[in-house]
Amino acid sequence: MFDERDYEYVVTAAGRVNIIGEHVDYCGGKVFPAALSLRNAVYVRRNGTDRINISFTDIPDKVSLPIDDLESGKSLKYGNYQAGSALMWKNAGHKLVGCDMVQDCTVPFGSGLSSSAAIEVSTIAALAVIAGEEFDPVEVALLAQKAEREYAGVNCGIMDQYASACGKKNCAILLDCKTLEREYVPLELGEYTLVIADCKKPHSLVESKYNERRAQTEEALKALAPVTGATCLAEVTPVQLEEHKGLLSEVVYLRAKHVVEECERVHLAAEAMKRGDIRELGKLLNASHASLRDLYEVTGKELDALASAAQSHPACLGSRMTGAGFGGCTVSIVKADAVEDFRRKVGEAYERATGYHAKFYDSSVSDGITVTKIEK
Ligand code: GLA
């Protein structure tokens, strides 16, 4: 055990759940995520050396990264996200000082709740704080995304890192991924609440399938841009897509159809939440899942079984996969006083269908980055 009083600051960043707007951030669409109380905490102190030393509360590995050779962290199993984040922060012209960090992550790994974004964002913010630098959470998010893309090799959009850095307690973020304009929408669900469930299927090939989907949307834009004038796929309307579908292969058309229709659902979902129409929000969640299953093909049998068990529960207004897919979590809108029954019945039905034991997380909607000076 470490004693947190041996450290100067604790800097945290959030995991996230995406309510709706899946696989549209890298197409310039709007997304609707929220930051979670599941998060990565970094306890940090200066060490007067030219190294960043990292230990973890939940694994025995220890990592020591030379500040002038952060590339060397690339092959690490644990510590590579931190190394990539430090490198991007440094390459952007910021000061790095030698420090010791203890990393304590409560975002479950591989769950689709963005543990990697929480690690990247909190690491950069901790490095800034310990060097005495002010930081802009949006810049931190952008550099964390760069670390994920250029260091970890996942060609991700901006949603996860943005939510992790800029989230706000009890609010969802309506984020325009093209302009980075944002609107905080109070997460007011009346007598309903969000329930996050993990299908617990081991992830496989997520990165390669993710990058493949992204390439397909780029192919769609390449064909559609000259005839529509769109600068990103999210700007193509469903009518334009139908008009020009002949320019696309069948599979690329299906991917593009998901993107343009999902963008419309995000708009409708934010409006529904603002006027308190939670029933409508639930229907949009169900439609999003169906589209991710049938058109984008990123759900898989386990997420389908979990979403469908949730959707069949009488206290549930809607359920969908959240995050990249291919395993990970669902998010459901459930009547608050029936959550216990929901967990039990959905858990049982899911186990009957797949043999896996779903895990339900207790989490609330929280702030993005937090910085606290540790009192001695
Ligand atoms: C992952 C990526 C995000 C986003 C989602 C799908 O979480 O990191 O940028 O593309 O998948 O919506």
Side-chain angles (χ1 to χ4, degrees):
M1 261 315 276
F2 78 104
D3 187 342
E4 62 172 70
R5 284 167 309 179
D6 294 339
Y7 291 80
E8 293 172 59
Y9 291 93
V10 56
V11 178
T12 79
R16 64 98 191 91
V17 63
N18 187 21
I19 298 168
I20 198 162
E22 216 64 85
H23 285 282
V24 298
D25 62 346
Y26 51 79
C27 301
K30 286 189 184 172
V31 293
F32 204 31
L36 294 174
S37 55
L38 295 167
R39 50 212 299 125
N40 191 52
V42 180
Y43 296 82
V44 62
R45 67 179 174 214
R46 281 190 183 229
N47 64 16
T49 73
D50 55 1
R51 302 182 83 89
I52 300 170
N53 298 323
I54 306 172
S55 60
F56 308 88
T57 52
D58 52 350
I59 41 171
D61 298 45
K62 288 195 188 324
V63 172
S64 182
L65 302 163
I67 286 176
D68 57 11
D69 182 22
L70 291 162
E71 292 284 351
S72 61
K74 225 170 196 164
S75 55
L76 291 168
K77 177 156 184 224
Y78 298 105
N80 63 331
Y81 288 125
Q82 289 85 344
S85 304
L87 181 62
M88 297 309 154
W89 184 245
K90 184 178 165 210
N91 286 352
H94 296 285
K95 184 165 123 201
L96 283 186
V97 298
C99 57
D100 300 331
M101 293 180 165
V102 178
Q103 301 240 345
D104 182 28
C105 193
T106 57
V107 192
F109 295 132
S111 61
L113 299 178
S114 292
S115 54
S116 62
I119 291 169
E120 292 151 355
V121 168
S122 56
T123 298
I124 294 180
L127 289 169
V129 167
I130 205 65
E133 269 205 40
E134 301 254 321
F135 63 84
D136 166 16
V138 176
E139 188 196 5
V140 171
L142 287 165
L143 291 174
Q145 180 201 22
K146 206 165 182 305
E148 181 95 27
R149 290 166 77 157
E150 294 175 16
Y151 204 88
V154 181
N155 199 8
C156 67
I158 187 60
M159 171 171 74
D160 302 350
Q161 290 80 10
Y162 195 100
S164 178
C166 306
K168 189 167 161 183
K169 193 172 165 47
N170 295 331
C171 285
I173 315 164
L174 184 59
L175 173 67
D176 183 324
C177 298
K178 188 175 180 210
T179 62
L180 291 191
E181 271 167 53
R182 68 171 176 224
E183 182 189 349
Y184 290 113
V185 180
L187 193 72
E188 281 163 4
L189 300 176
E191 37 181 6
Y192 289 85
T193 187
L194 296 182
V195 175
I196 299 171
D198 192 332
C199 78
K200 282 285 167 190
K201 177 209 158 196
H203 269 212
S204 61
L205 296 173
V206 181
E207 287 86 1
S208 61
K209 289 183 196 158
Y210 182 90
N211 290 343
E212 180 195 277
R213 293 300 183 283
R214 184 166 180 158
Q216 288 166 332
T217 61
E218 278 160 11
E219 197 183 320
L221 177 63
K222 212 166 153 212
L224 296 171
V227 289
T228 60
T231 59
C232 61
L233 195 53
E235 283 171 2
V236 175
T237 64
V239 172
Q240 287 173 325
L241 178 64
E242 288 314 306
E243 211 180 318
H244 302 294
K245 68 186 272 192
L247 297 172
L248 308 176
S249 72
E250 175 66 11
V251 70
V252 169
Y253 162 71
L254 295 178
R255 307 297 190 240
K257 187 168 158 67
H258 164 74
V259 171
V260 301
E261 292 178 357
E262 183 78 352
C263 287
E264 294 216 318
R265 281 189 287 270
V266 175
H267 173 71
L268 295 172
E271 291 305 310
M273 194 183 298
K274 286 181 199 166
R275 61 172 195 273
D277 189 348
I278 311 305
R279 223 161 259 286
E280 172 68 9
L281 183 64
K283 283 189 196 149
L284 292 161
L285 260 65
N286 290 345
S288 170
H289 186 88
S291 175
L292 289 156
R293 180 190 62 213
D294 302 334
L295 306 179
Y296 220 66
E297 297 181 282
V298 291
T299 56
K301 124 168 172 278
E302 292 77 14
L303 282 173
D304 289 341
L306 192 52
S308 130
Q311 288 165 5
S312 311
H313 192 282
C316 177
L317 292 184
S319 182
R320 60 180 286 276
M321 58 151 268
T322 185
F326 313 107
C329 287
T330 57
V331 57
S332 309
I333 303 178
V334 183
K335 208 151 188 204
D337 63 8
V339 167
E340 218 173 294
D341 186 71
F342 174 86
R343 287 183 175 201
R344 188 168 46 79
K345 293 205 176 117
V346 171
E348 283 167 6
Y350 176 66
E351 195 159 352
R352 271 197 307 277
T354 64
Y356 288 113
H357 194 69
K359 187 162 166 50
F360 294 86
Y361 296 117
D362 288 314
S363 187
S364 53
V365 171
S366 299
D367 286 328
I369 297 171
T370 67
V371 178
T372 312
K373 188 155 176 48
I374 296 172
E375 298 299 333
K376 300 289 165 187

